[in-house]
Amino acid sequence: MAKTDEETFIYLATYANEAAARDDYQVVKDLHGEGLVGSYDAAVVTKDANGKVHENKDETATRHGAWGGIAAGAVLGVIFPPAVLASAAVGGVIGSVGGHLAKGMSRSKVKELGDFIDPGQAGLVVIGELKVKEAIEKAVTRAEKETAEELGVAPEDIDRVLQEALKGL
């Protein structure tokens, strides 16, 4: 499959603490405010000493595009099993979108992303259009380590799956 600017990516960065992750989260929001970033969703997560992942999301500030704040939750549901994910609802809508996103990643890649954040660390998870990946990678400066995975899924496909899932509610 040929790569296009219309595909979707997942960006994951790790931080020593939640404050540093929130600072870079604000940078991503500011990029959107300046018109430099299109549709995306983002969340700050922490992994406690027991390995449980907690989503710490500013719901209203991250609702960009048609994704309505659900895409980051869906990504978290894919890369962190429900037994590890402490705070996100793994409901029908998130499950539908997450299932669609998972098709773009191998099981080994999903496991690698799930292990990317160590206990005691914070993370920033961004899902967005591939064309904004480079801007985010340049703007996020506080991360200890970072990775990005192109999914081979078009943003409009995520929109379609989301709309179908919402109709079922």
Side-chain angles (χ1 to χ4, degrees):
M1 176 193 279
K3 300 281 185 217
T4 71
D5 283 347
E6 297 303 317
E7 291 186 7
T8 305
F9 76 99
I10 296 171
Y11 171 84
L12 184 58
T14 63
Y15 300 84
N17 58 59
E18 186 176 346
R22 286 200 174 280
D23 288 344
D24 273 351
Y25 175 79
Q26 185 61 49
V27 168
V28 174
K29 290 185 343 185
D30 292 345
L31 286 173
H32 180 75
E34 295 168 12
L36 300 174
V37 174
S39 292
Y40 80 95
D41 193 18
V44 172
V45 297
T46 55
K47 189 180 263 188
D48 66 25
N50 296 322
K52 285 272 189 199
V53 174
H54 304 270
E55 180 181 10
N56 306 299
K57 188 168 178 171
D58 175 358
E59 289 293 335
T60 57
T62 59
R63 293 178 184 249
H64 302 296
W67 298 350
I70 293 175
V75 167
L76 294 173
V78 169
I79 62 177
F80 300 112
V84 173
L85 192 57
S87 61
V90 184
V93 174
I94 289 176
S96 296
V97 176
H100 193 71
L101 293 173
K103 292 178 185 175
M105 289 188 286
S106 68
R107 287 183 188 207
S108 62
K109 181 51 76 173
V110 169
K111 181 172 179 2
E112 179 184 323
L113 292 174
D115 292 340
F116 197 72
I117 300 172
D118 293 327
Q121 287 187 317
L124 173 63
V125 178
V126 179
I127 179 170
E129 298 172 9
L130 187 57
K131 63 186 175 187
V132 301
K133 179 179 153 216
E134 188 174 316
I136 289 173
E137 288 175 332
K138 286 181 181 176
V140 171
T141 59
R142 295 163 185 86
E144 292 180 343
K145 61 182 179 175
E146 57 191 334
T147 188
E149 179 72 16
E150 296 174 14
L151 295 177
V153 177
E156 59 270 14
D157 288 343
I158 295 171
D159 292 344
R160 180 184 49 75
V161 170
L162 176 59
Q163 293 306 318
E164 289 171 4
L166 289 172
K167 284 180 190 175
L169 294 179

